[in-house]
Amino acid sequence: GSDSGAQRHMAAALVFRLHDRGPELVREVLLERGWEEYDSQDHEDQDWNLYWRGSTFSSLEYRNLLPWQRLNHHPKTVGITRKDFLVRNLRRMRATCGSSLYDFSPTAFILPNDYTRFLAEHENLHLSRERSAYWICKPVDLSRGRGIFIFQDLKDLVYDGPVILQRYISDPLLVSGYKFDLRIYVCVKSFHPLTVYIHQEGLVRFATEKYDLSSLRNLYAHLTNTSINKLGPFYTAYKERVGPGCKWTMNRFRHFLQSQDVNELLLWQRINNIVTLTLLTIAPSVPLCANCVELFGFDVLIDGRFKPWLLEVNYSPALTLDCQADFVVKKALVSDLIDLMNYSASDSLRQRKMTGTDQRLGPGPLPRPRLLPPVDLNRTHNDQQVRPVGYRFSHRSWRVLKSQNIKPTLSLIYSSMETEAPSDRTTGLREQHVPPVRVGDFIRTFPFNRATRKASQHTLDVKKVLQELQRLTNQLVPGQSEKTSSRRTEEELKKKSEGGEKFESLFWGLKDPPFIRPSLKRKENSD
Ligand code: ADP
């Protein structure tokens, strides 16, 4: 419509910068949207709006950010994306917040440190009925299935660097005998206040040989990484129900789920919970950076009783296009992500101002920046005073900086800003801001109601958030049979959302969730 036309026109001046020339998909999507690619010959050092890289940015890069520049990673998110840090953080949360909500990650040990503890656990299990406990060993800093093996017998545990040992979920849900996991795409729009979106599409990644606990060494049967399975002998073969290749779109998986006797709402809500609860482990310690956004890949395994388990969180989920499912899912994902970043006219105005390429703008104040004060990597949000001030940065200040050949860093800009004392009006505005429930296929899953919005507005009140999550989840837990309770809850939720509580933001399982599923209806009729 006219909106997207205006956006394309506005976007003509936006510049993206890719580290190491990739990912190609990001380039393709941004070029199609009318962006320009950064080129050190044509552009000044600071002349870009988005810098995308697969690896981490340095603290200097965060510190020197200019108001119009955005990065595709928040600082210090390694606390959930490195396997051993994630284990430690979840363990800490379990200890302080209890294990009733934090029960979604398989028991894990970090070796070599936890070796004795692991032995004790192993011994315990051996003495109890669970003789058949299986373990999976993963190097802490590798990805794509590299270096992973599964074992049952202690003598098979061999490692030569830091690894994590995790209870192997040995009864995964199978599709025609094949194991799979879900790749859930999560965008953290902001950590302060915590604002989280989950993409409705996503990928289901299959193993390419039938699941078989008697062949633990056959990685094609036990691991679901594409990088492994695409090298397997059955990758291209047509596999019962799964088809050729090793991926489904989430949409296809939803159709599969509808043929199962499962409380779907509860399943999706538990996945939402996993995402929120995992992010809560680091949210209070992530430094404030209003110019950052991040796309995480959460890997979730569903077991035979439909319980979702978190396997790991990926820092830079692969954006390569290997197969049809990738084409369908990833391109729309990147495009929705750019929409979610909400580039506005001021992003390009500032840029033109800096390079002096747009004389029509003339002297005068820049449009009011929407961005917050500079990133201080040593301070976290909860001990930092965030003043929602109105400010202006005068054109004169720019000229002075430029004439003295001083690089206009974010700190400099803010320190030379004419600040206005925060008025009730500006503070009020900030508090009233409710992030959209949906942008493209990104659905806001946090905050999900007024109480969680309030609990995350200033200092993050983790306890309150946990209470609200528990309350919501309880509404979905069946008191009676799965079928009736899931139908009743859908109706209750519908009523609630009509009454103004934005519970519909939690439905990311279905595009336009019907409140009574056709399959359920049919079953009831035939009952
Ligand atoms: P990587 O970063 O190397 O991909 P993951 O933790 O994602 O490491 O593990 C790779 C694959 O191994 C997963 O996609 C999944 O198929 C399988 N896997 C990992 N952990 C478990 C587990 N605890 N139980 C069952 N399968 C697992």
Side-chain angles (χ1 to χ4, degrees), residues 139-179:
V140 296
D141 48 5
L142 289 186
S143 60
R144 289 179 273 137
R146 290 171 293 178
I148 293 185
F149 62 92
I150 300 148
F151 66 95
Q152 193 176 17
D153 201 322
L154 259 188
K155 73 173 176 8
D156 294 326
L157 171 60
V158 184
Y159 62 98
D160 56 6
V163 295
I164 70 157
L165 283 188
Q166 211 175 44
R167 265 302 280 274
Y168 186 62
I169 308 296
S170 55
D171 63 333
L173 183 63
L174 303 174
V175 172
S176 297
Y178 293 92
K179 175 177 172 177

Side-chain angles (χ1 to χ4, degrees), residues 243-509:
C246 66
K247 277 185 202 164
W248 275 5
T249 62
M250 195 65 80
N251 196 33
R252 186 157 172 201
F253 178 62
R254 282 184 217 118
H255 284 115
F256 164 79
L257 273 186
Q258 291 182 3
S259 69
Q260 306 287 302
D261 194 16
V262 55
N263 182 343
E264 255 183 277
L265 278 184
L266 179 62
L267 174 65
W268 295 122
Q269 183 50 38
R270 279 173 149 181
I271 294 174
N272 287 349
N273 289 356
I274 289 180
V275 170
T276 306
L277 293 165
T278 304
L279 292 169
L280 283 180
T281 65
I282 54 162
S285 58
V286 171
L288 182 70
C289 179
N291 307 45
C292 302
V293 76
E294 187 146 4
L295 181 71
F296 294 102
F298 278 63
D299 289 347
V300 171
L301 183 87
I302 300 178
D303 73 15
R305 286 171 300 160
F306 289 100
K307 177 182 160 77
W309 295 88
L310 176 68
L311 298 184
E312 69 152 349
V313 182
N314 288 274
Y315 183 71
S316 272
L319 293 175
T320 42
L321 302 180
D322 281 326
C323 60
Q324 188 56 26
D326 281 347
F327 275 98
V328 174
V329 172
K330 293 181 183 173
K331 196 162 178 191
L333 171 77
V334 172
S335 190
D336 288 344
L337 182 70
I338 304 300
D339 282 337
L340 193 56
M341 290 172 82
N342 190 24
Y343 281 90
S344 67
S346 58
D347 291 287
S348 53
L349 284 180
R350 275 194 223 105
Q351 182 201 3
R352 291 188 214 168
K353 200 73 157 171
M354 183 196 133
T355 55
T357 51
D358 198 335
Q359 299 303 323
R360 287 167 304 155
L361 295 169
L366 284 165
R368 174 191 286 185
R370 286 179 292 110
L371 305 166
L372 293 168
V375 188
D376 180 345
L377 292 170
N378 297 318
R379 298 171 82 193
T380 60
H381 176 65
N382 286 354
D383 54 35
Q384 196 164 1
Q385 277 208 327
V386 182
R387 284 175 306 146
V389 290
Y391 35 61
R392 290 169 162 211
F393 183 60
S394 76
H395 191 59
R396 241 187 85 237
S397 323
W398 277 118
R399 288 226 199 91
V400 172
L401 291 180
K402 280 204 108 177
S403 68
Q404 295 176 358
N405 231 351
I406 296 173
K407 215 167 72 172
T409 68
L410 197 58
S411 333
L412 261 175
I413 291 169
Y414 282 99
S415 61
S416 59
M417 274 172 185
E418 303 161 25
T419 55
E420 293 164 9
S423 67
D424 285 343
R425 197 176 57 86
T426 49
T427 318
L429 269 181
R430 193 176 135 72
E431 279 177 355
Q432 274 162 28
H433 173 72
V434 184
V437 170
R438 164 182 209 128
V439 174
D441 279 346
F442 270 115
I443 310 293
R444 168 160 55 78
T445 55
F446 192 90
F448 54 84
N449 60 10
R450 215 166 281 140
T452 45
R453 189 150 58 83
K454 202 158 157 246
S456 56
Q457 199 69 55
H458 299 293
T459 304
L460 183 64
D461 184 347
V462 174
K463 221 170 133 194
K464 177 73 186 159
V465 171
L466 296 184
Q467 272 170 12
E468 287 296 312
L469 265 191
Q470 188 72 70
R471 193 168 72 87
L472 179 73
T473 311
N474 286 346
Q475 290 179 28
L476 297 163
V477 174
Q480 312 150 34
S481 89
E482 296 270 20
K483 270 196 305 188
T484 41
S485 86
S486 99
R487 191 184 65 240
R488 203 209 290 129
T489 329
E490 286 171 25
E491 279 159 6
E492 276 167 11
L493 286 176
K494 189 179 180 198
K495 256 191 225 141
K496 276 228 162 67
S497 65
E498 281 163 355
E501 284 255 57
K502 298 256 179 228
F503 278 121
E504 74 270 24
S505 68
L506 296 163
F507 296 122
W508 65 275

